[in-house]
Each structure stands twice: as structure tokens, then as C-alpha cells.
Amino acid sequence: LAPSASERWGECTASPGFIKQFNLVQKSSTYANQGSAAHALAEDCVAFGSDAALFIGTKYTIEGETFVVDQEMAEAVQVYVNFVNAVAPVKQREKDVLLWTEQRLDIGRGIKGTSDCIAYYRDRRTVVTADYKHGSGVVVEPEENSQLMLYTFGAIRKLELMGEKIEDVRIVVVQPRAPHPSGKKVRDWWTTRGKLYTWWNRKILP
């Protein structure tokens, strides 16, 4: 029950069992592997506080395929890095805003996944969940995005176990390489904890 496939199994609850029974799990494609390499670059940039351009020429090997960071990849990833640094400035991390990147989440109902970026503002009681999409073919929207809603639900569960209080939710898609009618490379959608839990109880829990 991967969050990235939630649009499928959310509509057809029998699909996971069917896929397992007939061994229909697809192998990772070159495009998916390239996206994983871009994610690895993004994680390194955030971890080391570096710009993506400094990694041009660096090699990342994913599923046996090697990808070399070029200017196009660096420019795309930098859009995401700039967003992370804006939503969670280095000087405010841990004090005013809690930042998790590549955070493994136990979402519940056997659902587990890794979120690209989660930021939590204690004073605003607000959770920001962001996902970097390196693909250029299919435009991804943040509105009622089941993958990101699941990540957010898992993040809220984890935060509340830590004693934190959440009221508002901001879900963000960073997709610099896919042309969008609005022209925006960073798109967001606001909702609330209450609405997210209503969605979970109606769509996922049954």
C-alpha cells in the first residue's frame, strides 16, 4: 500500500492482492530512476546546505543505472532546495520550525512511505508537506493529492505522539520541469487537520 500508488488502490481495494497474486509489480523505469537520482541530489543539497550547481558532474547510481548531474538537473533541483530553505530557514530549524526530509512514516493500516519534506510550525500549529516531482510529462496537482494527504496524515500522527498540536495543513508540489497552465513551478493547497481526518475515515479506514 504505497502512498505513491494510492490513487489506484484507493479506488480498487482488491488491486494490491491482485498484483501480488499475479506478480504484476513493475520494474523501475529509467525515468523513475532519474527521478530518484534527482531526489538523492536534493537530499544532499539540503543536508550539506549547498547549491545544486556545486554537484554538477557528480554521479548517482540507482537500480544499476548511473546518472550524472548536469545543469538541467541542477537547475530543477535548486527550485526544490530554494523552497525547503524558504519554508524552513536554517536559523529557525528546531527552534521555530521542525524540518524532516526523506522522513519514513508509519501512516497506519499497513501503509508506509517516505515523505520528501515535512515542516511543522509550532506557533502556527501548521504542517507543510512538500513533494518534489522531477518528471516533465505528467503535471501533478496538490489539490486532494492522496499521496501527499497520506504523508501528511502520517506526519500529524507522529507529531501528535510527540505532544504537538496541529490545526492547519499546507500541501505542496514542486515540479519545475513540467509546464503548468499557471506557470507556477511550486503549487500549494491548504486544508485542515479535521478535513484530513474526515477524508481518512471515509476513504482509507473502511
Side-chain angles (χ1 to χ4, degrees):
L1 297 179
S4 58
S6 58
E7 288 191 6
R8 184 194 69 230
W9 56 255
E11 296 298 325
C12 179
T13 56
S15 66
F18 185 83
I19 289 171
K20 182 178 180 180
Q21 180 181 354
F22 293 97
N23 194 27
L24 297 178
V25 177
Q26 293 182 338
K27 293 183 179 180
S28 183
S29 67
T30 294
Y31 295 113
N33 290 340
Q34 183 187 50
S36 296
H39 275 79
L41 169 61
E43 176 65 7
D44 283 345
C45 289
V46 173
F48 293 108
S50 302
D51 286 341
L54 296 177
F55 288 86
I56 291 177
T58 301
K59 297 179 180 179
Y60 291 92
T61 300
I62 309 293
E63 298 288 338
E65 286 191 87
T66 299
F67 300 88
V68 180
V69 178
D70 56 15
Q71 185 173 348
E72 181 188 13
M73 181 184 286
E75 289 179 352
V77 168
Q78 190 63 45
V79 175
Y80 171 74
V81 174
N82 289 344
F83 169 81
V84 174
N85 289 333
V87 79
V90 175
K91 292 183 179 180
Q92 296 181 19
R93 293 176 192 175
E94 302 305 325
K95 180 181 179 181
D96 303 316
V97 57
L98 176 65
L99 176 68
W100 293 331
T101 58
E102 297 301 317
Q103 178 68 41
R104 185 69 176 169
L105 297 167
D106 185 351
I107 298 166
R109 293 300 301 271
I111 307 167
K112 296 182 180 181
T114 302
S115 175
D116 292 344
C117 172
I118 296 167
Y120 170 61
Y121 295 87
R122 292 186 173 91
D123 58 340
R124 307 178 203 172
R125 297 187 175 184
T126 298
V127 171
V128 180
T129 302
D131 199 56
Y132 175 69
K133 302 293 186 183
H134 191 67
S136 59
V138 179
V139 171
V140 179
E141 302 289 4
E143 290 85 356
E144 298 185 354
N145 184 302
S146 60
Q147 178 187 7
L148 298 186
M149 291 170 77
L150 286 169
Y151 289 152
T152 307
F153 186 85
I156 290 175
R157 286 187 59 187
K158 184 178 178 70
L159 286 164
E160 290 183 339
L161 285 173
M162 295 166 56
E164 303 290 354
K165 304 292 184 181
I166 293 90
E167 295 177 1
D168 294 315
V169 169
R170 181 189 178 195
I171 289 178
V172 182
V173 169
V174 181
Q175 190 176 23
R177 299 176 67 235
H180 190 271
S182 69
K184 294 181 178 180
K185 297 179 180 180
V186 179
R187 303 179 290 277
D188 62 1
W189 174 63
W190 286 83
T191 186
T192 65
R193 175 195 180 279
K195 291 180 179 178
L196 192 66
Y197 268 74
T198 297
W199 168 81
W200 169 272
N201 291 332
R202 185 184 71 249
K203 193 74 174 180
I204 307 299
L205 198 56

